[in-house]
Amino acid sequence: MTARLQVVLLGFVIFTSIAIALHAFGFQLRLSGSPDFHVRFDAIPIPAAMHVLGSGLALLIGGFQFSQTLRRKYLHVHRWLGRIYLIMILIGGLGSFLLAPQAAGGLVAKIGFFLLAVLWWFSAFQAYVAVRRGDIAEHRAWMLRNFALTFAAVTLRIQLGTLTASGVPFEEAYPVVAWLSWVPNLVLIEWYLALSQRKAAANARAAPEGALSGN
Ligand code: HEM
């Protein structure tokens, strides 16, 4: 992937993340969101607020963490945002576990959201353990996987909006997007990681040859 494409992609990710994070804060203030959701969320207001605000903040912060400029010039900011991001996942994820059993869309949607919450916590934990051991490559890989899951909040709303606008009833669309919002995100990241690894290995093989030939 070229550097320019990476910047454009990151810009898109940050822009859409901010938009959906603002929707989450609006939801908490009752400025947005469908009445059905508010009824379900009002039944467990504290876990619901933990989910909406915690996950919303994680989404707001997450994209910026992949900026090379931020990491190179302001590493202390990257570290502090990283700590806040992980705490927000802890809080937001706990809320997700409590919301998943009462989600709309039947058992298929409930299992989809529950598994997403498990993987969200698991990948955040792996990223934290990797950075504590000083393994930056592994930390980056786990954070990419983790943010691909955080970004499900964006893909879900794009997919749900597209499906319902095309005439698919909400009850049919919701169980589909409970999986479709995150499984392809993860597959794409795994593919990107495998590609980067192959490229790095090829460069490493080429480097000694270049050194020998005096290049
Ligand atoms: C990645 C892990 C996540 C999981 C497992 C998860 C799970 C859930 C569940 C189970 C619901 C309730 C669905 C229902 O009652 O039918 C929900 C709704 C909601 N979630 Fe998440 N979520 C995650 C990430 C996020 C993020 C990052 C945000 C930030 C914007 C977010 C914001 C919301 C909002 C605002 C609602 C209310 C419904 C709506 O407006 O669409 N969630 N989520």
Side-chain angles (χ1 to χ4, degrees):
M1 199 189 300
T2 64
R4 177 181 273 255
L5 184 61
Q6 274 186 11
V7 170
V8 171
L9 250 177
L10 186 60
F12 170 79
V13 165
I14 290 176
F15 178 78
T16 51
S17 297
I18 292 174
I20 299 300
L22 290 179
H23 157 71
F25 304 141
F27 181 90
Q28 191 60 31
L29 294 171
R30 294 187 172 271
L31 300 172
S32 64
S34 83
D36 288 355
F37 277 94
H38 281 296
V39 169
R40 279 197 299 282
F41 279 47
D42 286 348
I44 44 169
I46 293 176
M50 284 165 66
H51 176 69
V52 172
L53 297 177
S55 311
L57 260 174
L59 185 64
L60 190 68
I61 295 171
F64 292 100
Q65 292 293 83
F66 297 100
S67 156
Q68 270 188 17
T69 316
L70 184 77
R71 289 198 309 268
R72 277 193 197 139
K73 287 196 183 158
Y74 309 101
L75 186 59
H76 61 290
V77 176
H78 174 81
R79 284 194 178 127
W80 273 106
L81 286 182
R83 286 179 192 127
I84 297 171
Y85 178 78
L86 286 176
I87 293 168
M88 290 307 128
I89 289 181
L90 208 62
I91 296 172
L94 188 58
S96 313
F97 279 115
L98 300 164
L99 282 172
Q102 61 155 41
L107 191 62
V108 173
K110 292 182 209 298
I111 296 173
F113 285 130
F114 188 80
L115 199 59
L116 171 60
V118 171
L119 294 176
W120 205 32
W121 264 11
F122 177 74
S123 53
F125 177 72
Q126 293 292 342
Y128 176 72
V129 170
V131 80
R132 296 300 297 172
R133 333 184 263 275
D135 190 342
I136 301 301
E138 202 58 17
H139 168 68
R140 181 175 171 273
W142 279 108
M143 269 309 183
L144 277 167
R145 292 178 182 116
N146 179 265
F147 191 70
L149 299 175
T150 309
F151 199 68
V154 175
T155 38
L156 182 141
R157 280 154 190 100
I158 295 174
Q159 293 164 354
L160 190 61
T162 310
L163 285 173
T164 50
S166 333
V168 180
F170 174 85
E171 308 74 54
E172 285 173 29
Y174 208 54
V176 173
V177 298
W179 291 86
L180 196 64
S181 58
W182 60 273
V183 176
N185 293 6
L186 261 194
V187 172
L188 259 175
I189 286 298
E190 286 307 327
W191 172 75
Y192 170 75
L193 287 172
L195 216 70
S196 313
Q197 226 171 18
R198 240 189 300 158
K199 213 169 134 188
N203 285 345
R205 271 198 307 273
E209 283 167 25
L212 281 177
S213 63
N215 291 331

